Amino acid sequence: MSDSESTISQAADAVEEASNHPALDVLARTGFAVMALLHVIIGAIAVAVAFGQPGEAEPTGAIEQLAANAWGPAVMWACVVSCFGLGLWQASEATLRARRLPRKERVSKLISSGFLAIAYSSVGFSFAGFAVGLRGDSSESTRDFSASLMATPLGLWTLVALGLTIIGIGIYFVFKGVRRGFKEELFHFDGTRRGRLIDTLGVTGHVSKGAALNLTGLLFVIAAAKHSPEESTGLDGGLKALRDHPFGPYLLVAIGAGFIAYGIFALVRSRFGRM
């Protein structure tokens, strides 16, 4: 190994050691708890929407619920820090902690944890927007984004690719739930009655979240196929579209209950899960 490679390796080791600081671990666990709470609120909104009540069944709507109290600004900034901390932890998982893995596992970790780092950080930006008073309709923002994208030369195919990517993530969640792939993240209660309950929550939650993501991705694909950006309404619009079908309200209640189950599972994972 050359001197320059040795120096880079030592620097990477130092950064990795810093990323293992207990403070980042606490922030990441708090971030997981925030994401768990958002899923519970989204699930509750989805159930309410099934019975004709107003609300946005997506992260922005859930954040709005959290912001609607006297402690709203303080809660928003605490969530900003927690979500960015979780995003930073996932980024370190994708890069620093994956350095010594075999190539195939390293690439897989880079993609999965890298995507999560971006996703959690984007939720942090949403909290920051509410903290400074910037609020908007998520479905309308998604439609505007789709319209702007479709106005570009490769926008149509980009929108299809985005939809297929979201569908792929949804399928991943379904398979992860069915195959209990989440157990490697949370094995604290293995072999106990409580562990069986947590497994049930994990399966139900992952499958329901996967189904909702598949619906969201499908709307992007439909919008591109019909050259109709108003068809892409994000998670909230996709769930509300179910309400107009004969068995839609029942599906909406099932998905909402699944999101609540996922949120409870994620809350347990935030406390006892592997970091």
Side-chain angles (χ1 to χ4, degrees):
M1 180 182 294
S2 66
D3 290 343
S4 60
E5 289 177 334
S6 177
T7 301
I8 293 173
S9 179
Q10 289 173 4
D13 288 340
V15 175
E16 181 179 356
E17 184 176 350
S19 72
N20 290 326
H21 194 280
L24 184 58
D25 183 271
V26 171
L27 276 179
R29 289 187 183 278
T30 306
F32 274 124
V34 170
M35 297 304 299
L37 183 58
L38 288 182
H39 279 83
V40 170
I41 296 174
I42 290 171
I45 294 173
V47 172
V49 167
F51 290 99
Q53 299 299 312
E56 291 185 40
E58 44 76 51
T60 303
I63 293 172
E64 186 173 13
Q65 295 288 329
L66 286 175
N69 63 77
W71 295 92
V75 171
M76 293 298 98
W77 285 117
C79 290
V80 168
V81 174
S82 298
C83 287
F84 281 137
L86 179 55
L88 181 60
W89 180 82
Q90 286 288 359
S92 68
E93 282 280 290
T95 54
L96 297 172
R97 295 187 178 93
R99 288 183 302 142
R100 298 176 182 85
L101 294 175
R103 179 179 177 81
K104 186 177 180 180
E105 292 181 31
R106 190 166 67 247
V107 172
S108 175
K109 194 69 174 176
L110 177 64
I111 294 172
S112 60
S113 293
F115 171 81
L116 289 174
I118 295 171
Y120 293 142
S121 297
S122 68
V123 175
F125 280 114
S126 295
F127 274 112
F130 272 81
V132 298
L134 299 177
R135 307 183 182 193
D137 183 277
S138 176
S139 295
E140 183 178 344
S141 299
T142 304
R143 284 192 292 266
D144 291 342
F145 167 76
S146 298
S148 300
L149 194 60
M150 290 177 70
T152 62
L154 296 176
L156 189 67
W157 295 108
T158 303
L159 198 62
V160 170
L162 176 61
L164 292 176
T165 299
I166 295 174
I167 290 173
I169 296 169
I171 293 172
Y172 164 78
F173 267 92
V174 171
F175 271 92
K176 185 176 181 179
V178 172
R179 299 180 64 180
R180 289 175 167 77
F182 53 82
K183 290 182 70 68
E184 64 184 31
E185 302 167 357
L186 180 60
F187 46 79
H188 185 81
F189 299 103
D190 274 1
T192 67
R193 182 179 302 176
R194 192 178 301 177
R196 289 191 291 274
L197 173 60
I198 292 170
D199 279 358
T200 301
L201 290 172
V203 172
T204 305
H206 280 82
V207 171
S208 297
K209 182 172 181 176
L213 288 171
N214 285 333
L215 181 61
T216 304
L218 184 61
L219 289 177
F220 278 110
V221 175
I222 291 173
K226 296 172 66 175
H227 295 262
S228 178
E230 62 271 13
E231 298 277 356
S232 59
T233 52
L235 176 60
D236 178 63
L239 293 179
K240 286 178 178 174
L242 284 176
R243 191 175 52 187
D244 302 326
H245 293 276
F247 296 100
Y250 300 102
L251 289 173
L252 199 50
V253 169
I255 291 176
F259 265 77
I260 293 172
Y262 183 89
I264 296 172
F265 168 84
L267 191 61
V268 175
R269 190 251 186 271
S270 72
R271 173 64 179 86
F272 298 103
R274 179 187 62 80
M275 298 295 289

